[in-house]
Amino acid sequence: MGIHQGHRERMKQEFLQGGLDHFSEPRVLELLLFFSRFQGDVNPLAHRLLETFGSLSGVLDAKPEELAKVSGVGENTVVLLKLIPAIAARYLACRAGGEVILSDSQSLFELFQPCFFAARNELSYLACFDSKLKLLGLKKISEGSPNANEISVRKISSEALALNATVVVLAHNHPSGLATPSEEDIFTTRFIQNALRPLGITLYDHVILADGDMVSLRDSKYLTVL
């Protein structure tokens, strides 16, 4: 067994026995790179990636074309690095799966959090419920830039009507800021609420997520549901 292979085996066993609690970011990335670079010392590559993107999250959030520019990064490494956040999002979504009943803002946080995991751009999602507040469907309705996103009332109404929903909840993220609603968020919420009311559809809430936090416009009294 070569020196690098012995080092790899020791790191794998250290992880299996104690998790990542005592791993620095370079060592976490080094361990991950074992599975795209099957031979040799990947520690220098781990450090290059961290120097280029600033942090482990920066590496995992980087675009494929940006990753490919780093010396020593091939297709296998690009795929592996982009696969990690994608699998994590799917994992969170699976854990939140099953029958969902709208009860409070915490239930909305658990429902929507996986939708925005590692998102770089502003996204908006619509959750549709029946009259008993049972989830009928969850739909992505738009994607914008890191700082802006246009939400279509027509798209919201068509998705809700297609599922025969009587209650909907809108959600969007602030990927580069706080979950605090802007004046435009508040205006848009009230505009959508008024547009849906003649269709027999109630906008129950509009929630904004950012960095593991969530603000409910209903709880914050910006949205009053009759």
Side-chain angles (χ1 to χ4, degrees):
M1 179 182 291
I3 182 171
H4 295 308
Q5 189 61 32
H7 172 65
R8 288 173 179 238
E9 291 302 321
R10 286 191 296 273
M11 283 190 66
K12 290 176 183 177
Q13 289 305 312
E14 184 180 350
F15 164 68
L16 290 175
Q17 293 170 15
L20 292 176
D21 288 347
H22 301 293
F23 276 64
S24 64
E25 285 202 344
R27 295 188 75 222
V28 170
L29 194 51
E30 183 182 2
L31 178 61
L32 182 59
L33 292 171
F34 290 165
F35 300 94
S36 66
R37 298 280 298 272
F38 302 120
Q39 295 181 342
D41 184 5
V42 295
N43 182 269
L45 177 56
H47 281 277
R48 278 199 300 278
L49 285 164
L50 290 170
E51 289 168 4
T52 301
F53 300 107
S55 65
L56 181 61
S57 62
V59 173
L60 297 177
D61 286 343
K63 295 180 180 179
E65 57 269 25
E66 295 171 342
L67 291 167
K69 294 177 183 177
V70 177
S71 176
V73 172
E75 183 182 41
N76 284 350
T77 297
V78 172
V79 171
L80 179 66
L81 293 174
K82 298 312 301 177
L83 188 60
I84 297 303
I87 288 177
R90 180 67 65 88
Y91 167 75
L92 290 173
C94 289
R95 289 192 65 181
E99 184 172 281
V100 176
I101 303 296
L102 176 56
S103 56
D104 53 23
S105 55
Q106 180 60 33
S107 67
L108 291 175
F109 179 75
E110 293 170 359
L111 175 64
F112 286 116
Q113 185 190 25
C115 300
F116 302 108
F117 185 85
R120 295 170 60 92
N121 295 326
E122 279 202 15
L123 311 172
S124 59
Y125 279 80
L126 185 72
C128 298
F129 299 85
D130 64 15
S131 59
K132 296 182 179 179
L133 302 184
K134 178 180 176 182
L135 182 68
L136 299 172
L138 182 61
K139 302 285 187 177
K140 178 180 176 181
I141 56 174
S142 65
E143 177 170 357
S145 68
N147 299 304
N149 179 36
E150 183 176 347
I151 299 175
S152 167
V153 176
R154 178 177 295 181
K155 179 71 171 176
I156 291 172
S157 59
S158 64
E159 293 289 358
L161 291 171
L163 292 173
N164 292 319
T166 57
V167 175
V168 297
V169 176
L170 183 64
H172 81 276
N173 62 327
H174 287 173
S176 57
L178 301 174
T180 306
S182 66
E183 290 296 326
E184 183 178 359
D185 291 333
I186 296 169
F187 173 82
T188 299
T189 300
R190 292 171 177 167
F191 179 80
I192 293 171
Q193 181 186 40
N194 291 331
L196 293 178
R197 189 174 290 123
L199 302 176
I201 301 170
T202 299
L203 179 62
Y204 181 91
D205 203 348
H206 181 182
V207 296
I208 303 170
L209 291 90
D211 293 333
D213 188 22
M214 188 189 82
V215 171
S216 158
L217 271 70
R218 178 188 175 104
D219 291 350
S220 303
K221 309 303 182 184
Y222 292 117
L223 174 65
T224 301
V225 180
L226 301 178

